[in-house]
Amino acid sequence: MSEYVITNGKIYTEEQTIDKGFVHIKEGKILSVGSGHFQEEETDTNESIQYIDAKGQHILPGFIDIHIHGGYGEDAMDVSYDGLKHLAESLLSEGTTSFLATTMTQSTENINRALKNIVTYKAHQDIANAAEIAGVHLEGPFISEHKVGAQHPKYVQRPSADQIYAFQKVADGLIKIITFAPEVEGAQETLKALKDNIIFSIGHTVATFDEANEAVMSGAKHVTHLYNAATGFAHRDPGVFGAAWLNKNLKTEMIVDGVHSHPASIALAYQLKGNKNCYLITDAMRAKGMPEGEYDLGGQNVIVKDKEARLESGALAGSILRMNDGLRNLINFTGDSLERLWRVTSLNQAIALGIDDVKGSIEMGKDADIVILDDECNVKTTIKNGVPHHFGK
């Protein structure tokens, strides 16, 4: 099925929403997007073009998760080729077509081992039958020991350009985002040295409002999982949350599972930041898609119960959120429409990563990475590089 047309769907593009349109796909690329009926012409092989009937459902670009540790029993820190393969294949079921394999605060040796495994897997990944690794999110080890969250306090390091260069060499240039605490020793110098090559994201930090804004002036661009593991808002001390809300040069990750943040807090952030400055993430750990029980996260025991993942101390330990569920929650929490919210799952991420020329929206010439959702945001079909994968009834 190298050439086919998706018909009878509601298509969300950068310019408009097409109520009843078509997407023409050939050899993994989007050839054309239009409204109404597709006008069939002879193919190069003189064979009739095949069709997929979207049955009036929603056709969106595939989701891009820029912060995910694992899921479906796997974790990026496991140093398992087969584990990454299973994770990537499983992510298609939630509409995710690209992701950043996210590491944890661990020993330099363990981080390097994880990075080497990611590089090896990416070199051989099947991008038509699994979500595609677009790079690495290094969450730590350059964080504050006062806001470790579910990170391991034993392995917190102070940042240096030399250490990040060393990590990036092992990662073969795949590190796209680093979560860091801007207030710790060495952070500002490191940020200024590497800001043009890596996205620095403020997180796991006790930075003040002023320190957060100073970091932005030095080149920081993101806030990691807003409302978690950072300084909160107070009327005399706005903290990182206040900086995230008000600084127009900061874009914010949000875990929209109703556990990590109250729905009203998500709505507030969205109203202040708008649909071009937010990223829906999962921050998922290996228990996503798995039964309740006990799991490992970065060498620490995690108990999963009642849709929550927590350390034995009670601290939240990542999520078990699926991207399509996060989108459904985002619609419900904000009251905004899918016409505006779709880009929070894909286009914003693609722009940040510099891959929006080939991914992140349904446009002519881009990769055919597409998800078809029903009205409840259940995934019906995920198309990866032109190959359809069907889910549900």
Side-chain angles (χ1 to χ4, degrees):
M1 203 175 189
S2 63
E3 182 175 5
Y4 61 95
V5 178
I6 308 170
T7 63
N8 190 29
K10 190 170 185 178
I11 306 168
Y12 298 80
T13 76
E14 293 183 49
E15 292 80 23
Q16 61 180 324
T17 299
I18 304 170
D19 278 331
K20 289 187 177 181
F22 64 85
V23 183
H24 184 192
I25 294 168
K26 184 176 182 179
E27 296 178 354
K29 296 289 185 179
I30 298 171
L31 280 189
S32 63
V33 183
S35 59
H37 296 289
F38 177 73
Q39 299 299 314
E40 184 172 340
E41 298 177 356
E42 281 196 349
T43 65
D44 294 338
T45 57
N46 294 317
E47 295 179 0
S48 295
I49 296 176
Q50 299 182 65
Y51 290 86
I52 292 178
D53 185 356
K55 300 177 181 178
Q57 297 178 124
H58 307 276
I59 303 173
L60 284 72
F63 304 143
I64 302 174
D65 193 350
I66 61 172
H67 188 157
I68 172 173
H69 298 277
Y72 310 96
E74 317 295 348
D75 190 286
M77 294 299 295
D78 288 345
V79 193
S80 168
Y81 183 99
D82 289 340
L84 284 178
K85 181 175 183 291
H86 179 233
L87 170 63
E89 290 170 347
S90 300
L91 289 175
L92 294 180
S93 69
E94 58 192 76
T96 296
T97 53
S98 297
F99 68 105
L100 296 187
T102 305
T103 60
M104 293 283 290
T105 297
Q106 261 287 341
S107 67
T108 297
E109 179 185 4
N110 284 345
I111 292 172
N112 281 335
R113 290 175 65 234
L115 293 174
K116 288 177 183 177
N117 183 59
I118 293 166
V119 170
T120 300
Y121 172 76
K122 188 177 188 302
H124 299 93
Q125 64 182 339
D126 181 356
I127 60 172
N129 294 295
E132 184 175 346
I133 289 183
V136 171
H137 182 157
L138 205 69
E139 190 180 14
F142 311 116
I143 60 174
S144 169
E145 59 271 25
H146 304 296
K147 283 286 185 181
V148 290
Q151 304 283 332
H152 204 304
K154 177 181 177 181
Y155 300 109
V156 171
Q157 297 183 34
R158 291 295 178 253
S160 72
D162 287 344
Q163 180 59 74
I164 293 176
Y165 281 129
F167 278 144
Q168 189 68 294
K169 183 177 181 179
V170 173
D172 196 26
L174 289 181
I175 298 171
K176 307 300 181 183
I177 299 176
I178 293 178
T179 291
F180 82 121
E183 76 279 7
V184 304
E185 181 183 356
Q188 287 291 324
E189 295 82 0
T190 304
L191 172 60
K192 290 175 182 177
L194 294 167
K195 65 181 180 180
D196 294 331
N197 301 312
I198 294 173
I199 297 168
F200 282 81
S201 185
I202 299 170
H204 290 277
T205 173
V206 292
T208 65
F209 176 78
D210 290 337
E211 286 171 333
N213 284 309
E214 181 183 354
V216 177
M217 292 179 65
S218 297
K221 296 177 181 178
H222 290 189
V223 172
T224 296
H225 45 48
L226 180 64
Y227 300 130
N228 293 274
T231 45
F233 175 85
H235 63 292
R236 294 192 184 95
D237 186 8
V240 170
F241 296 175
W245 290 336
L246 294 177
N247 195 309
K248 295 180 180 179
N249 294 314
L250 270 179
K251 300 182 186 297
T252 58
E253 295 180 356
M254 296 192 299
I255 310 170
V256 190
D257 61 356
V259 175
H260 281 76
S261 302
H262 190 282
S265 298
I266 295 295
L268 175 61
Y270 180 71
Q271 284 189 25
L272 290 169
K273 300 304 294 184
N275 70 330
K276 295 183 179 180
N277 296 300
C278 298
Y279 309 108
L280 175 63
I281 63 161
T282 64
D283 192 15
M285 48 88 69
R286 74 170 74 248
K288 170 163 64 173
M290 303 293 287
E292 291 186 349
E294 296 188 12
Y295 296 87
D296 171 81
L297 179 65
Q300 300 185 91
N301 193 48
V302 177
I303 301 167
V304 178
K305 185 178 181 182
D306 298 329
K307 298 183 179 181
E308 297 182 7
R310 293 184 181 272
L311 299 179
E312 293 175 339
S313 66
L316 285 168
S319 85
I320 53 175
L321 182 68
R322 293 161 57 92
M323 280 290 281
N324 63 303
D325 294 333
L327 177 56
R328 181 193 306 114
N329 290 339
L330 192 59
I331 293 169
N332 291 334
F333 294 174
T334 66
D336 208 350
S337 64
L338 190 56
E339 281 87 350
R340 287 176 47 78
L341 286 170
W342 70 265
R343 65 175 293 148
V344 177
T345 67
S346 55
L347 182 57
N348 295 346
Q349 290 88 330
I351 292 171
L353 297 176
I355 57 175
D356 54 304
D357 58 329
V358 290
K359 299 186 186 297
S361 62
I362 299 176
E363 306 291 338
M364 183 176 66
K366 291 194 176 186
D367 293 345
D369 289 358
I370 293 169
V371 58
I372 301 176
L373 304 176
D374 66 16
D375 289 341
E376 284 71 48
C377 289
N378 298 308
V379 175
K380 310 309 288 185
T381 300
T382 299
I383 297 167
K384 183 67 188 78
N385 270 57
V387 177
H389 302 267
H390 302 292
F391 303 96
K393 296 180 180 179

